[in-house]
Amino acid sequence: MSAMAICYASISKKGLMSSKQGKLTASAPGRAGIIGNPSDMYGGSVLACSLPMRAWAILTPASGLTLVTDGQECEIGNWDDLRPAGDLFDIAKAVLRYIQPRPLACRIEYGSDIPRHSGMAGSTALMVALLNVLLTWQGRRLGRYQLAEMARYIELNHLRVVCGYQDAYMTTFGGLNYLDFRGKQFYRRAEAELFATVESLNPFVEQLPFVLAYTGVAHSSGAVHKPIRERWLEGEQEVVAAYDRISELARMGKKAILQGDWRELGQLMNENHRIQRDVGGSGLSNERLIEAALDGGALGAKLAGAGDGGTIIALFPNLDDQALELALMAAGAEAIYHLALSEGTTVTEEDI
């Protein structure tokens, strides 16, 4: 049987049960924040786009449970084996601890084309792919909103990563989206969480004139966000006002991108970055690339995710001109990427 895409909205119980006898492959894209991040942690709004790079997970039936990634294997014999160990298996273990599948009888291979700790939601994309493949194997039917919320909940509560909601929603939905997180500034129990508003801009934007530059500096987004989050929770006025303004910039940025007003969008992106930098959310490697981007002709440049390394995003309408990419590489960028309207998480099934 040829590979068959399974859509969350239309999975039948019969199809799910039969999938336990075959091989399942799931994937999810990385993402870049265009404007508004990181106000998704503070009830704000974000404009973001998926990346062509994806994380993936392959599940095949087996007599026991084996995790395989990056050339390493981990045998899981009982629930105690799912305790975190600070290694490459922690994400898969966290998913398994949360959903508690029975029986533990499959082989799960997983990996990612997204550089680790690069600020492009690679860890979240991997979690979404693992959730997608395991839930499908179990015969559980979830919509995309539920899947996004589950991924965010596991990341926060089982991996102990201080995080917002943008990554989980973008790696689940994919595409170019305006996301509204009003009412989600305080973490709640899973059953009490409100769903975000996801507005797809895919049909209305023909051009994505953005360049991503990876600093080559791996970072932990939680380590960047945690101290600023604590200041916000304490009511520090500078931080509260900062994220109110960044959320407003996202709403203005939505209008600018829909009208193709690149100069206006660039100015808004620059203001977004200045605010985040001033509250302590950037880093030397980020600032070096952002300065190089602006000097190289970019209309705007900012963090694509968390700072202290990771990736920056630059607005450059003339993508055929290599000047910007050359300037970024000369300033120390390890890799250059572009945005693309990549679909959200998918799962396919095939006989073995």
Side-chain angles (χ1 to χ4, degrees):
M1 162 175 149
S2 60
M4 176 183 66
I6 300 177
C7 173
Y8 264 102
S10 60
I11 296 175
S12 68
K13 184 176 181 181
K14 180 180 178 182
L16 285 169
M17 296 304 292
S18 65
S19 71
K20 291 187 177 183
Q21 306 307 314
K23 180 171 77 170
L24 295 171
T25 301
S27 69
R31 69 92 193 97
I34 296 173
I35 192 166
N37 56 293
S39 74
D40 56 300
M41 296 181 65
Y42 306 95
S45 302
V46 173
L47 181 65
C49 187
S50 56
L51 302 175
M53 298 175 291
R54 301 178 75 85
W56 50 268
I58 301 172
L59 184 151
T60 52
S63 57
L65 176 59
T66 305
L67 304 177
V68 183
T69 188
D70 198 30
Q72 303 178 48
E73 292 194 7
C74 178
E75 300 288 340
I76 306 296
N78 54 58
W79 294 109
D80 287 340
D81 292 339
L82 295 178
R83 292 175 178 172
D87 57 23
L88 296 175
F89 300 106
D90 279 357
I91 292 178
K93 288 178 179 179
V95 172
L96 288 163
R97 284 199 310 274
Y98 184 76
I99 66 175
Q100 298 186 10
R102 288 180 173 84
L104 298 177
C106 61
R107 177 183 177 89
I108 308 170
E109 301 178 52
Y110 58 93
S112 181
D113 301 325
I114 309 163
R116 295 181 64 221
H117 305 301
S118 62
M120 292 184 281
S123 296
T124 309
L126 186 56
M127 178 172 292
V128 168
L130 286 162
L131 271 172
N132 197 344
V133 82
L134 278 161
L135 290 170
T136 301
W137 179 63
Q138 282 190 288
R140 295 175 61 181
R141 179 176 178 174
L142 290 183
R144 291 187 184 272
Y145 289 90
Q146 294 97 319
L147 181 63
E149 288 292 334
M150 184 179 288
R152 201 284 320 179
Y153 184 87
I154 296 171
E155 192 166 15
L156 177 68
N157 294 284
H158 288 258
L159 291 176
R160 304 298 180 186
V161 175
V162 177
C163 56
Y165 298 85
Q166 173 193 201
D167 291 3
Y169 272 84
M170 283 301 304
T171 56
T172 301
F173 282 82
L176 173 66
N177 297 306
Y178 173 75
L179 307 168
D180 190 321
F181 299 100
R182 277 178 289 185
K184 296 175 70 64
Q185 61 267 48
F186 297 107
Y187 300 146
R188 310 182 187 200
R189 302 184 314 277
E191 62 273 14
E193 279 282 2
L194 303 173
F195 287 160
T197 298
V198 181
E199 180 183 357
S200 173
L201 304 185
N202 296 353
F204 313 111
V205 179
E206 297 181 357
Q207 184 184 13
L208 291 172
F210 301 95
V211 174
L212 299 175
Y214 176 38
T215 64
V217 179
H219 73 160
S220 167
S221 59
V224 176
H225 291 313
K226 184 177 180 180
I228 301 176
R229 173 78 179 176
E230 290 174 347
R231 291 164 60 192
W232 182 86
L233 289 169
E234 291 172 357
E236 185 175 323
Q237 188 56 42
E238 178 188 4
V239 179
V240 172
Y243 292 122
D244 286 346
R245 177 57 179 169
I246 287 177
S247 182
E248 182 180 18
L249 294 175
R251 295 190 289 272
M252 298 166 67
K254 171 188 169 184
K255 179 179 179 180
I257 199 170
L258 288 173
Q259 293 182 327
D261 190 342
W262 304 125
R263 189 163 299 280
E264 170 68 6
L265 181 59
Q267 293 174 355
L268 296 172
M269 291 172 63
N270 290 333
E271 182 179 351
N272 189 155
H273 180 68
R274 286 194 299 270
I275 294 171
Q276 182 65 0
R277 178 195 61 204
D278 290 347
V279 298
S282 187
L284 291 177
S285 60
N286 305 101
E287 293 302 317
R288 181 171 62 252
L289 292 188
I290 286 172
E291 182 179 359
L294 295 174
D295 289 345
L299 298 179
K302 57 179 284 296
L303 301 172
D308 198 23
T311 302
I312 68 112
I313 182 170
L315 172 60
F316 192 65
N318 188 9
L319 290 178
D320 292 333
D321 188 340
Q322 299 298 307
L324 178 59
E325 295 187 17
L326 292 172
L328 289 167
M329 296 300 288
E334 183 170 300
I336 302 293
Y337 308 101
H338 295 90
L339 301 188
L341 294 180
S342 178
E343 63 185 333
T345 186
T346 62
V347 60
T348 59
E349 176 187 2
E350 58 184 304
D351 290 338
I352 56 174

